[in-house]
Amino acid sequence: QALTDVVLGFDNVAGYEHCGGYFGCITGRCANRIAKGEFEIDGTQHRITVNNGPNSLHGGHKGFDKVFWSVEELGNTCLRMTYTSADGEEGYPGQLTVQVTYTLHDTNQLQIDYAAQTDKPTVVNLTDHTTWNLMGAPAPSADPANRPPHSLCLDHIVQLFADRYTPVDDTAIPL
């Protein structure tokens, strides 16, 4: 049985550098938005980089999507990526070392494990920002004029069984 590439992405780093989005990345230090780029920890107010209207999105201008990670192979079906974010990077307190481990199981299950260690109280909320096309698709072009239409993924149907959801304001901040 032939394998199909179901992850939309680029064949080289240059594609990601010119993409302008969070395509196929690990987002952090904080996935999603922090209202007005401000938060308080232990009575201390922290201001972080604002990069999405009035808010901070996915870690700021130099989030974890914009850095090079160390990669370590842990066998044929497992790898670990590590990144250390310096104290003060994008305004976040504390040095933060993050490890993300990807494991492909014999049942074709992809497991992603996150671990983070810091030397000060800080904010951390990591996630994978992969764009999936379960039908398989070629990598989009780094040239915006030659990118394939997003409709490649829009034919998927997702059903969520949820009793609740989080409503947001006009800047996507939870109400």
Side-chain angles (χ1 to χ4, degrees):
Q1 184 177 12
L3 295 177
T4 301
D5 184 357
V6 295
V7 176
L8 296 180
F10 299 100
D11 292 330
N12 57 54
V13 173
Y16 294 96
E17 291 174 335
H18 295 92
C19 179
Y22 298 93
F23 204 64
C25 72
I26 298 166
T27 59
R29 278 190 188 197
C30 184
N32 211 342
R33 289 162 183 82
I34 295 179
K36 300 176 184 167
E38 299 177 344
F39 58 89
E40 183 179 315
I41 297 177
D42 297 334
T44 301
Q45 191 73 16
H46 297 276
R47 295 221 16 98
I48 57 175
T49 303
V50 171
N51 65 328
N52 182 250
N55 305 314
S56 179
L57 177 63
H58 296 331
H61 290 292
K62 185 188 168 196
F64 289 178
D65 63 304
K66 303 281 190 301
V67 298
F68 284 98
W69 293 65
S70 299
V71 179
E72 175 186 6
E73 289 186 39
L74 303 175
N76 291 332
T77 61
C78 184
L79 67 86
R80 179 184 304 134
M81 296 174 34
T82 304
Y83 176 69
T84 299
S85 175
D87 183 14
E89 185 174 276
E90 294 297 297
Y92 288 90
Q95 177 175 295
L96 181 72
T97 299
V98 175
Q99 291 187 327
V100 182
T101 304
Y102 295 86
T103 306
L104 181 61
H105 296 281
D106 291 338
T107 58
N108 289 328
Q109 174 189 1
L110 176 63
Q111 179 177 330
I112 306 173
D113 295 300
Y114 301 90
Q117 188 170 15
T118 185
D119 60 357
K120 292 181 186 175
T122 193
V123 172
V124 63
N125 180 36
L126 307 169
T127 196
D128 177 79
H129 209 288
T130 298
T131 302
W132 302 94
N133 185 336
L134 302 180
M135 302 285 292
S141 170
D143 178 0
N146 293 324
R147 287 187 188 147
H150 291 290
S151 63
L152 296 172
C153 303
L154 297 180
D155 291 333
H156 298 321
I157 297 172
V158 176
Q159 184 175 5
L160 302 174
F161 297 98
D163 295 326
R164 299 177 187 174
Y165 68 96
T166 304
V168 296
D169 68 15
D170 60 351
T171 66
I173 296 294
L175 296 174

Short mmCIF file of all heavy atoms in Angstrom, two decimals, residues 113-154:
data_model
loop_
_atom_site.label_atom_id
_atom_site.label_comp_id
_atom_site.label_asym_id
_atom_site.label_seq_id
_atom_site.Cartn_x
_atom_site.Cartn_y
_atom_site.Cartn_z
N ASP A 113 4.29 14.35 22.15
CA ASP A 113 4.44 14.61 23.58
C ASP A 113 5.23 15.89 23.78
O ASP A 113 6.25 16.11 23.13
CB ASP A 113 5.18 13.45 24.25
CG ASP A 113 4.40 12.16 24.21
OD1 ASP A 113 3.28 12.13 24.74
OD2 ASP A 113 4.91 11.18 23.62
N TYR A 114 4.74 16.74 24.69
CA TYR A 114 5.37 18.02 25.00
C TYR A 114 5.89 18.00 26.42
O TYR A 114 5.22 17.50 27.34
CB TYR A 114 4.34 19.16 24.90
CG TYR A 114 3.70 19.29 23.54
CD1 TYR A 114 2.53 18.60 23.24
CD2 TYR A 114 4.25 20.11 22.57
CE1 TYR A 114 1.93 18.72 22.01
CE2 TYR A 114 3.65 20.24 21.33
CZ TYR A 114 2.50 19.53 21.06
OH TYR A 114 1.91 19.67 19.83
N ALA A 115 7.07 18.57 26.63
CA ALA A 115 7.63 18.77 27.97
C ALA A 115 8.30 20.13 27.99
O ALA A 115 8.91 20.55 27.01
CB ALA A 115 8.63 17.67 28.30
N ALA A 116 8.15 20.83 29.11
CA ALA A 116 8.76 22.15 29.24
C ALA A 116 9.26 22.33 30.66
O ALA A 116 8.62 21.89 31.62
CB ALA A 116 7.75 23.24 28.89
N GLN A 117 10.43 22.96 30.78
CA GLN A 117 11.03 23.22 32.09
C GLN A 117 11.52 24.66 32.11
O GLN A 117 12.15 25.12 31.15
CB GLN A 117 12.17 22.27 32.36
CG GLN A 117 12.70 22.36 33.76
CD GLN A 117 13.68 21.22 34.07
OE1 GLN A 117 14.17 20.54 33.17
NE2 GLN A 117 13.95 21.02 35.33
N THR A 118 11.23 25.37 33.20
CA THR A 118 11.61 26.77 33.31
C THR A 118 12.29 27.04 34.63
O THR A 118 12.17 26.25 35.57
CB THR A 118 10.37 27.68 33.14
OG1 THR A 118 10.79 29.04 33.13
CG2 THR A 118 9.36 27.47 34.25
N ASP A 119 13.01 28.16 34.69
CA ASP A 119 13.68 28.53 35.94
C ASP A 119 12.93 29.63 36.69
O ASP A 119 13.36 30.07 37.74
CB ASP A 119 15.13 28.93 35.67
CG ASP A 119 15.27 30.11 34.73
OD1 ASP A 119 14.24 30.61 34.21
OD2 ASP A 119 16.41 30.54 34.49
N LYS A 120 11.80 30.12 36.13
CA LYS A 120 10.96 31.14 36.77
C LYS A 120 9.51 30.85 36.41
O LYS A 120 9.23 30.28 35.36
CB LYS A 120 11.29 32.54 36.24
CG LYS A 120 12.62 33.10 36.57
CD LYS A 120 12.74 34.51 35.97
CE LYS A 120 14.14 35.07 36.15
NZ LYS A 120 14.28 36.37 35.46
N PRO A 121 8.57 31.31 37.23
CA PRO A 121 7.17 31.21 36.82
C PRO A 121 6.98 31.95 35.49
O PRO A 121 7.48 33.06 35.31
CB PRO A 121 6.41 31.91 37.95
CG PRO A 121 7.31 31.77 39.14
CD PRO A 121 8.71 31.88 38.58
N THR A 122 6.30 31.30 34.55
CA THR A 122 6.09 31.87 33.22
C THR A 122 4.82 31.33 32.61
O THR A 122 4.15 30.47 33.20
CB THR A 122 7.31 31.59 32.31
OG1 THR A 122 7.21 32.40 31.13
CG2 THR A 122 7.42 30.13 31.93
N VAL A 123 4.50 31.80 31.44
CA VAL A 123 3.37 31.31 30.66
C VAL A 123 3.91 30.35 29.62
O VAL A 123 4.88 30.66 28.93
CB VAL A 123 2.65 32.50 29.97
CG1 VAL A 123 1.59 32.01 29.00
CG2 VAL A 123 2.05 33.43 31.01
N VAL A 124 3.27 29.19 29.49
CA VAL A 124 3.62 28.27 28.42
C VAL A 124 2.35 27.51 28.02
O VAL A 124 1.60 27.05 28.86
CB VAL A 124 4.77 27.30 28.80
CG1 VAL A 124 4.39 26.41 29.96
CG2 VAL A 124 5.21 26.48 27.61
N ASN A 125 2.10 27.47 26.71
CA ASN A 125 0.95 26.77 26.15
C ASN A 125 1.34 26.37 24.73
O ASN A 125 1.29 27.18 23.82
CB ASN A 125 -0.29 27.68 26.14
CG ASN A 125 -1.49 26.98 25.56
OD1 ASN A 125 -1.68 25.79 25.76
ND2 ASN A 125 -2.31 27.72 24.83
N LEU A 126 1.78 25.14 24.56
CA LEU A 126 2.33 24.68 23.30
C LEU A 126 1.29 23.89 22.51
O LEU A 126 0.45 23.22 23.10
CB LEU A 126 3.54 23.77 23.56
CG LEU A 126 4.63 24.35 24.45
CD1 LEU A 126 5.62 23.28 24.84
CD2 LEU A 126 5.30 25.50 23.76
N THR A 127 1.38 23.96 21.20
CA THR A 127 0.56 23.09 20.36
C THR A 127 1.21 22.91 19.00
O THR A 127 2.10 23.66 18.61
CB THR A 127 -0.89 23.63 20.20
OG1 THR A 127 -1.71 22.57 19.70
CG2 THR A 127 -0.96 24.81 19.28
N ASP A 128 0.75 21.91 18.30
CA ASP A 128 1.16 21.63 16.94
C ASP A 128 0.21 22.39 16.00
O ASP A 128 -1.00 22.39 16.21
CB ASP A 128 1.07 20.12 16.69
CG ASP A 128 1.42 19.75 15.29
OD1 ASP A 128 2.62 19.69 14.98
OD2 ASP A 128 0.50 19.54 14.48
N HIS A 129 0.75 23.05 15.00
CA HIS A 129 -0.07 23.87 14.10
C HIS A 129 -0.02 23.30 12.68
O HIS A 129 0.01 24.04 11.69
CB HIS A 129 0.45 25.32 14.13
CG HIS A 129 -0.59 26.35 13.87
ND1 HIS A 129 -1.14 26.56 12.63
CD2 HIS A 129 -1.17 27.24 14.69
CE1 HIS A 129 -2.01 27.55 12.70
NE2 HIS A 129 -2.06 27.98 13.95
N THR A 130 -0.02 21.98 12.59
CA THR A 130 0.02 21.32 11.29
C THR A 130 -1.29 21.52 10.55
O THR A 130 -2.36 21.50 11.15
CB THR A 130 0.30 19.82 11.46
OG1 THR A 130 1.57 19.66 12.08
CG2 THR A 130 0.29 19.09 10.14
N THR A 131 -1.20 21.73 9.24
CA THR A 131 -2.37 21.77 8.39
C THR A 131 -2.45 20.43 7.66
O THR A 131 -1.51 20.04 6.97
CB THR A 131 -2.27 22.93 7.38
OG1 THR A 131 -2.13 24.15 8.10
CG2 THR A 131 -3.51 22.99 6.50
N TRP A 132 -3.57 19.74 7.87
CA TRP A 132 -3.73 18.39 7.33
C TRP A 132 -4.62 18.42 6.09
O TRP A 132 -5.60 19.14 6.04
CB TRP A 132 -4.41 17.49 8.37
CG TRP A 132 -3.65 17.40 9.65
CD1 TRP A 132 -3.85 18.16 10.78
CD2 TRP A 132 -2.58 16.52 9.95
NE1 TRP A 132 -2.96 17.79 11.75
CE2 TRP A 132 -2.16 16.78 11.27
CE3 TRP A 132 -1.91 15.54 9.24
CZ2 TRP A 132 -1.13 16.10 11.89
CZ3 TRP A 132 -0.89 14.85 9.85
CH2 TRP A 132 -0.50 15.14 11.15
N ASN A 133 -4.28 17.62 5.10
CA ASN A 133 -5.17 17.32 3.99
C ASN A 133 -5.20 15.81 3.87
O ASN A 133 -4.27 15.20 3.34
CB ASN A 133 -4.68 17.95 2.69
CG ASN A 133 -5.69 17.74 1.58
OD1 ASN A 133 -6.49 16.82 1.61
ND2 ASN A 133 -5.65 18.60 0.59
N LEU A 134 -6.24 15.21 4.39
CA LEU A 134 -6.32 13.76 4.49
C LEU A 134 -6.42 13.08 3.13
O LEU A 134 -6.26 11.87 3.02
CB LEU A 134 -7.47 13.35 5.40
CG LEU A 134 -7.36 13.94 6.81
CD1 LEU A 134 -8.54 13.51 7.66
CD2 LEU A 134 -6.05 13.56 7.47
N MET A 135 -6.67 13.86 2.07
CA MET A 135 -6.68 13.32 0.71
C MET A 135 -5.28 13.31 0.11
O MET A 135 -5.06 12.74 -0.94
CB MET A 135 -7.59 14.18 -0.18
CG MET A 135 -9.02 14.28 0.29
SD MET A 135 -9.95 12.78 0.00
CE MET A 135 -10.03 12.81 -1.77
N GLY A 136 -4.34 13.98 0.77
CA GLY A 136 -2.99 14.12 0.23
C GLY A 136 -2.94 15.30 -0.72
O GLY A 136 -3.90 15.59 -1.42
N ALA A 137 -1.84 16.01 -0.69
CA ALA A 137 -1.73 17.20 -1.54
C ALA A 137 -0.27 17.56 -1.73
O ALA A 137 0.56 17.28 -0.87
CB ALA A 137 -2.46 18.37 -0.91
N PRO A 138 0.05 18.21 -2.84
CA PRO A 138 1.42 18.69 -3.03
C PRO A 138 1.70 19.86 -2.09
O PRO A 138 0.79 20.54 -1.63
CB PRO A 138 1.44 19.14 -4.48
CG PRO A 138 0.02 19.50 -4.77
CD PRO A 138 -0.82 18.55 -3.95
N ALA A 139 2.97 20.09 -1.84
CA ALA A 139 3.37 21.23 -1.01
C ALA A 139 3.03 22.53 -1.73
O ALA A 139 3.22 22.64 -2.94
CB ALA A 139 4.88 21.17 -0.73
N PRO A 140 2.53 23.51 -0.98
CA PRO A 140 2.26 24.80 -1.61
C PRO A 140 3.56 25.50 -1.99
O PRO A 140 4.61 25.24 -1.42
CB PRO A 140 1.51 25.58 -0.55
CG PRO A 140 1.79 24.89 0.73
CD PRO A 140 2.16 23.47 0.41
N SER A 141 3.47 26.41 -2.92
CA SER A 141 4.62 27.17 -3.38
C SER A 141 4.98 28.25 -2.37
O SER A 141 4.11 28.81 -1.71
CB SER A 141 4.29 27.81 -4.73
OG SER A 141 5.28 28.72 -5.08
N ALA A 142 6.27 28.54 -2.24
CA ALA A 142 6.71 29.64 -1.38
C ALA A 142 6.30 30.99 -1.96
O ALA A 142 6.21 31.97 -1.26
CB ALA A 142 8.22 29.58 -1.19
N ASP A 143 6.03 31.01 -3.26
CA ASP A 143 5.59 32.23 -3.93
C ASP A 143 4.07 32.36 -3.74
O ASP A 143 3.31 31.52 -4.25
CB ASP A 143 5.93 32.15 -5.41
CG ASP A 143 5.45 33.37 -6.19
OD1 ASP A 143 4.85 34.28 -5.60
OD2 ASP A 143 5.67 33.38 -7.42
N PRO A 144 3.60 33.38 -3.00
CA PRO A 144 2.16 33.51 -2.74
C PRO A 144 1.30 33.48 -4.01
O PRO A 144 0.18 33.00 -3.97
CB PRO A 144 2.04 34.85 -2.03
CG PRO A 144 3.38 35.11 -1.46
CD PRO A 144 4.36 34.45 -2.40
N ALA A 145 1.82 33.94 -5.10
CA ALA A 145 1.04 33.96 -6.34
C ALA A 145 0.82 32.55 -6.89
O ALA A 145 -0.10 32.31 -7.68
CB ALA A 145 1.75 34.82 -7.39
N ASN A 146 1.66 31.59 -6.48
CA ASN A 146 1.56 30.23 -6.99
C ASN A 146 1.06 29.22 -5.97
O ASN A 146 1.13 28.03 -6.20
CB ASN A 146 2.93 29.77 -7.50
CG ASN A 146 3.36 30.55 -8.72
OD1 ASN A 146 2.54 30.89 -9.55
ND2 ASN A 146 4.64 30.86 -8.80
N ARG A 147 0.55 29.70 -4.83
CA ARG A 147 0.03 28.77 -3.82
C ARG A 147 -1.26 28.13 -4.31
O ARG A 147 -2.10 28.80 -4.90
CB ARG A 147 -0.24 29.50 -2.51
CG ARG A 147 1.01 29.87 -1.78
CD ARG A 147 0.70 30.42 -0.41
NE ARG A 147 1.93 30.94 0.16
CZ ARG A 147 1.98 31.97 0.97
NH1 ARG A 147 0.89 32.59 1.35
NH2 ARG A 147 3.12 32.39 1.44
N PRO A 148 -1.45 26.83 -4.03
CA PRO A 148 -2.71 26.21 -4.44
C PRO A 148 -3.85 26.74 -3.58
O PRO A 148 -3.63 27.24 -2.49
CB PRO A 148 -2.47 24.72 -4.16
CG PRO A 148 -1.38 24.68 -3.16
CD PRO A 148 -0.54 25.91 -3.38
N PRO A 149 -5.07 26.65 -4.05
CA PRO A 149 -6.21 27.15 -3.28
C PRO A 149 -6.40 26.35 -1.99
O PRO A 149 -6.11 25.17 -1.94
CB PRO A 149 -7.39 26.95 -4.23
CG PRO A 149 -6.95 25.91 -5.19
CD PRO A 149 -5.46 26.04 -5.31
N HIS A 150 -6.88 27.04 -0.95
CA HIS A 150 -7.10 26.39 0.34
C HIS A 150 -8.22 25.37 0.27
O HIS A 150 -8.40 24.59 1.19
CB HIS A 150 -7.38 27.43 1.42
CG HIS A 150 -6.19 28.27 1.75
ND1 HIS A 150 -5.10 27.77 2.40
CD2 HIS A 150 -5.91 29.55 1.48
CE1 HIS A 150 -4.19 28.72 2.54
NE2 HIS A 150 -4.66 29.81 1.99
N SER A 151 -8.97 25.35 -0.82
CA SER A 151 -10.08 24.41 -0.93
C SER A 151 -9.60 22.96 -0.89
O SER A 151 -10.40 22.05 -0.75
CB SER A 151 -10.86 24.66 -2.22
OG SER A 151 -10.03 24.44 -3.34
N LEU A 152 -8.28 22.74 -1.02
CA LEU A 152 -7.76 21.38 -0.92
C LEU A 152 -8.17 20.72 0.39
O LEU A 152 -8.38 19.52 0.44
CB LEU A 152 -6.23 21.39 -1.02
CG LEU A 152 -5.62 21.85 -2.33
CD1 LEU A 152 -4.12 21.99 -2.20
CD2 LEU A 152 -5.97 20.89 -3.44
N CYS A 153 -8.27 21.50 1.46
CA CYS A 153 -8.62 20.96 2.78
C CYS A 153 -10.08 21.21 3.13
O CYS A 153 -10.59 20.62 4.07
CB CYS A 153 -7.78 21.62 3.88
SG CYS A 153 -6.04 21.44 3.67
N LEU A 154 -10.75 22.07 2.42
CA LEU A 154 -12.08 22.51 2.83
C LEU A 154 -13.17 21.50 2.53
O LEU A 154 -14.32 21.70 2.91
CB LEU A 154 -12.40 23.87 2.21
CG LEU A 154 -11.48 25.00 2.65
CD1 LEU A 154 -11.88 26.31 1.98
CD2 LEU A 154 -11.49 25.15 4.17
#
